[in-house]
Amino acid sequence: MSPQINLEEQFQAKIDAEIKIEPKDWMPDAYRKTLIRQISQHAHSEIVGMLPEGNWLTRAPSLKRKATLLAKVQDEAGHGLYLYSAVETLGISRLQTIEDLLSGKAKYSSIFNYPTLTWADMGAIGWLVDGAAIMNQVPLCRTSYGPYARAMVRVCKEESFHQRQGYEIMMTLMNGSAEQKEMAQDAMNRWWWPAIMMFGPTDSESSNTEQSVKWKIKRHTNDELRQKFIDATVPQAEYIGLTIPDKDLKWNEAKGAYDFGAINWDEFWNVVKGNGPCNKQRLEARQNAHNNGAWVREAASAYAEKRAKRSVTAEVA
Amino acid sequence: MNIALHNDTQVALSNYVLQLADTNLILAQRICEWCGHGPVLEQDIALSNIGLDLLGQTRSLYQYAAELLDEDKSEDDLAYLRSERQFKNLLLVEQPNGDFGYTIVRQFLYETFQQLLLTELKKSSNTQLAAIAEKSLIETNYHYKWSAEWVIRLGDGTEESKSRIQKSINEIWTYSGEMFIPCAAEQLLASISIIPDVAALKEAWMRKVKTVLDEATLTMPENMYMQQGGKTGVHTEHLGYILAEMQYLQRQYPRQQW
Ligand SMILES: [Fe+2]
Ligand SMILES: [Fe+2]
Ligand SMILES: [Fe+2]
């Protein structure tokens, strides 16, 4: 038996025994690469995800909503930070990870390539998008890589808060005027399908699922999570009088779950490929922030260097 | 406003509280524009933190102003249903964000003033104003420190950062004098010791600003003409756009719950 095979066996044995893999532990190259890809995509999603909601900060309809939205978007920045740090434990610097986003090499969740057109979109995003994220992320709190799992524990607590706030915005609108109800239903119509696409391609089309499940990076398949999300969300929509924009949606007694209509995978792949309504704007916004901030980052490091030098000189003197 | 206020003092007090609230709100509104666009993630978060503090202060102040006005108005009525000529914020805070350095200078000049003002206000004989000042001062101390550190970092950073921030200082300076020119409400309230004389804060402000600019190897502008008008509702052209954007939902769908 070659030493390499031995290491891989020991690694899988640890995974099977639910022992967390830590940064200094040996791990297969493919495991490391899968994690780098997945965690950095997740980090980018948090950061790009700030933009559609940030779009409504200056127009929030009350001071309380403005403050809550600002706090929410700020939480997403914090999530991005934890996740970039988790990527760093795998040997890739934050700058490198960010450059991969800016060059278009790395992906982020396609949901953020849809525009936020009305205030109700703040409700729909919090409720549906953060809701779908929670479905995806709660199992990640037990993912096999230690730093990722620990980051997810912190993230999930805040995400469930976001989901409640989003639902509360929708509920308030549904208790309001005819125009407000219409606004809420319109947001529901536009965000429902993109939200259920957030779980990714159907299992038969998903190239990464099987290995990721074996490594316990993933614990459920895309289709399992999508079904769970639909089953949890439909009653919430009904409770506040919103209609799910799917005429094929119906409760299947035998399955104990909802049947739902066909997903438009053409649209999904198009948005992934860059043809969504806001792909270009989102990436440009991140590129501009990065480029316009270059002089600030340079100044900060030049100043830090000067200070370090001065304190050395002071010690010598 | 067609309301029966009890006396001149109360009118002056409500105007003054609105002036403080409006100033914080408009600055918070500007800071919101940065969210998601900051030069580095940690500073994006720091700016949002400051924005959140300012919004919190704004809400306490509007709630108090609503009590003083005694006409059954909410904090949101005061923020969303008054127009350009009724807003009393300082001209300084309505100036567009510019680059990160411009935003830093705007914040630094304002927070240095706020620190001096709130230190006095927390001793006010008006207990509500004193309580709001005391709570706000803790936050202001942090905002001051953060912005002063960035002035120093950018001033004493690279050639480029030094020239950029010096240019921002020179441009924004003309809006710094208004803080120390008391309006009628401030004069009345200072005469009965409810608030400090803002003119008397100028010397300490100049000293504090100079100390930081010196450390930052930057130059303090001298003898510049000072713009004023914010406190009496005569603003720069920027404010109309800020309000149009901020107030549009409340204006388009009046009297709704959000
Ligand atoms: Fe998040
Ligand atoms: Fe997330
Ligand atoms: Fe979230």
Side-chain angles (χ1 to χ4, degrees):
Chain A
M1 198 187 271
S2 80
Q4 177 70 22
I5 290 172
N6 210 341
L7 282 170
E8 290 216 27
E9 275 175 5
Q10 283 170 7
F11 173 80
Q12 189 61 50
K14 258 168 123 178
I15 301 252
D16 294 341
E18 300 285 338
I19 298 167
K20 292 271 179 275
I21 307 301
E22 295 299 333
K24 292 208 169 90
D25 296 347
W26 184 89
M27 61 186 86
D29 236 26
Y31 176 83
R32 183 187 298 273
K33 282 202 182 108
T34 303
L35 279 172
I36 291 171
R37 197 192 61 238
Q38 184 173 331
I39 304 173
S40 61
Q41 271 184 22
H42 190 171
H44 299 326
S45 301
E46 302 286 353
I47 300 309
V48 176
M50 295 169 74
L51 300 170
E53 287 175 289
N55 183 39
W56 278 86
L57 283 169
T58 56
R59 291 177 291 170
S62 74
L63 295 176
K64 187 162 168 246
R65 292 286 186 210
K66 189 189 290 291
T68 315
L69 185 61
L70 181 56
K72 189 221 186 219
V73 181
Q74 186 195 36
D75 284 348
E76 308 300 3
H79 300 169
L81 262 187
Y82 311 152
L83 289 163
Y84 284 129
S85 305
V87 179
E88 285 191 316
T89 66
L90 293 160
I92 311 282
S93 73
R94 198 209 296 187
L95 187 64
Q96 179 60 56
T97 310
I98 289 174
E99 277 169 0
D100 287 345
L101 170 72
L102 300 181
S103 71
K105 195 178 138 202
K107 298 278 180 234
Y108 55 87
S109 179
S110 279
I111 193 80
F112 302 119
N113 290 318
Y114 290 87
T116 52
L117 303 179
T118 71
W119 170 251
D121 291 14
M122 298 305 97
I125 290 183
W127 172 39
L128 300 174
V129 174
D130 288 70
I134 293 167
M135 270 309 164
N136 265 326
Q137 290 169 16
V138 166
L140 289 175
C141 297
R142 295 187 301 126
T143 196
S144 58
Y145 186 58
Y148 192 22
R150 289 188 289 272
M152 289 327 295
V153 172
R154 297 169 71 180
V155 168
C156 282
K157 271 187 207 148
E158 292 177 349
E159 299 296 11
S160 49
F161 199 58
H162 299 166
Q163 190 195 19
R164 281 204 298 277
Q165 283 166 356
Y167 188 61
E168 208 259 314
I169 290 177
M170 289 305 245
M171 190 187 290
T172 307
L173 292 172
M174 290 306 287
N175 285 330
S177 68
E179 283 160 318
Q180 287 175 308
K181 286 181 187 153
E182 197 185 310
M183 198 187 273
Q185 183 62 54
D186 169 65
M188 178 81 197
N189 296 347
R190 284 181 290 108
W191 290 96
W192 173 254
W193 289 103
I196 66 171
M197 289 181 207
M198 281 175 71
F199 297 93
T202 194
D203 294 347
S204 56
E205 304 283 319
S206 176
S207 47
N208 308 317
T209 297
E210 201 186 326
Q211 182 63 69
S212 287
V213 169
K214 188 169 171 234
W215 278 332
K216 295 190 180 168
I217 295 175
K218 267 183 117 154
R219 291 186 178 257
H220 305 280
T221 68
N222 296 351
D223 286 333
E224 284 165 12
L225 291 168
R226 183 167 14 245
Q227 185 70 56
K228 265 182 89 171
F229 174 73
I230 291 171
D231 293 344
T233 309
V234 171
Q236 293 169 3
E238 282 170 354
Y239 182 71
I240 56 175
L242 283 166
T243 307
I244 306 266
D246 178 357
K247 58 178 174 20
D248 297 321
L249 185 90
K250 78 173 177 292
W251 179 252
N252 180 330
E253 194 61 54
K255 180 166 94 166
Y258 282 93
D259 288 332
F260 53 95
I263 293 172
N264 182 349
W265 293 113
D266 251 14
E267 175 181 327
F268 175 82
W269 289 114
N270 257 309
V271 182
V272 170
K273 279 180 207 140
N275 298 323
C278 297
N279 293 59
K280 189 166 170 282
Q281 292 89 325
R282 300 293 185 239
L283 202 55
E284 260 172 25
R286 289 314 308 159
Q287 287 163 343
N288 287 341
H290 189 76
N291 296 339
N292 296 338
W295 72 274
V296 177
R297 297 189 300 273
E298 280 157 23
S301 53
Y303 176 74
E305 229 166 86
K306 281 187 205 174
R307 264 189 77 121
K309 248 184 230 156
R310 274 178 216 146
S311 72
V312 170
T313 322
E315 270 169 42
V316 172
Chain B
M1 283 179 220
N2 55 344
I3 21 91
L5 281 168
H6 309 306
N7 55 43
D8 292 351
T9 310
Q10 191 148 351
V11 176
L13 191 55
S14 62
N15 279 336
Y16 181 66
V17 175
L18 283 175
Q19 176 187 314
L20 297 179
D22 292 346
T23 299
N24 279 332
L25 174 58
I26 298 302
L27 186 53
Q29 185 74 1
R30 282 297 191 207
I31 287 174
C32 282
E33 295 171 22
W34 269 107
C35 186
H37 306 279
V40 61
L41 218 35
E42 285 83 348
Q43 301 314 319
D44 212 303
I45 292 173
L47 275 166
S48 294
N49 256 325
I50 293 174
L52 282 166
D53 288 344
L54 293 174
L55 279 174
Q57 295 176 20
T58 301
R59 294 181 64 194
S60 311
L61 289 162
Y62 278 143
Q63 284 159 17
Y64 180 38
E67 264 173 55
L68 290 167
L69 286 167
D70 193 24
E71 50 182 295
D72 207 24
K73 284 213 184 325
S74 70
E75 59 178 57
D76 287 331
D77 293 336
L78 294 172
Y80 288 89
L81 301 177
R82 289 184 306 133
S83 53
E84 294 86 332
R85 294 281 286 106
Q86 296 172 305
F87 263 72
K88 301 174 199 307
N89 62 279
L90 297 169
L91 302 179
L92 177 73
V93 298
E94 70 197 39
Q95 300 313 305
N97 286 339
D99 66 11
F100 184 73
Y102 190 92
T103 292
I104 289 294
V105 175
R106 186 183 62 196
Q107 200 72 31
F108 170 65
L109 300 182
Y110 177 62
E111 303 290 2
T112 307
F113 172 75
Q114 279 297 93
Q115 207 176 36
L116 294 166
L117 176 70
L118 296 174
T119 303
E120 294 305 313
L121 266 189
K122 75 173 187 179
K123 297 180 262 179
S124 172
S125 57
N126 178 309
T127 50
Q128 259 172 297
L129 210 47
I132 295 173
E134 187 166 3
K135 184 170 176 289
S136 306
L137 184 58
I138 299 166
E139 298 168 345
T140 298
N141 286 337
Y142 163 77
H143 306 169
Y144 166 78
K145 184 168 178 284
W146 178 83
S147 58
E149 282 171 2
W150 270 106
V151 168
I152 294 166
R153 228 174 255 134
L154 296 178
D156 194 17
T158 62
E159 291 280 324
E160 184 188 3
S161 67
K162 186 192 174 95
S163 85
R164 274 179 184 255
I165 194 167
Q166 184 67 59
K167 188 166 165 271
S168 296
I169 292 168
N170 299 346
E171 278 173 18
I172 207 165
W173 198 256
T174 187
Y175 298 110
S176 67
E178 188 186 20
M179 299 187 282
F180 309 103
I181 306 169
C183 63
E186 285 173 313
Q187 278 170 5
L188 191 150
L189 296 171
S191 74
I192 48 176
S193 303
I194 290 182
I195 69 166
D197 170 15
V198 281
L201 300 177
K202 187 165 185 178
E203 211 187 295
W205 183 86
M206 296 282 275
R207 228 181 307 119
K208 285 185 79 164
V209 170
K210 179 89 168 57
T211 307
V212 171
L213 293 187
D214 282 349
E215 192 179 340
T217 70
L218 293 165
T219 313
M220 188 147 151
E222 271 170 56
N223 302 322
M224 198 178 274
Y225 180 79
M226 290 297 173
Q227 301 291 335
Q228 57 173 309
K231 293 175 181 179
T232 52
V234 181
H235 291 274
T236 60
E237 289 178 347
H238 304 296
L239 185 71
Y241 292 94
I242 296 176
L243 296 186
E245 185 173 338
M246 183 175 81
Q247 298 178 336
Y248 107 90
L249 275 171
Q250 289 263 358
R251 300 285 193 182
Q252 185 164 4
Y253 306 101
R255 292 177 298 279
Q256 301 302 324
Q257 296 298 311
W258 297 96

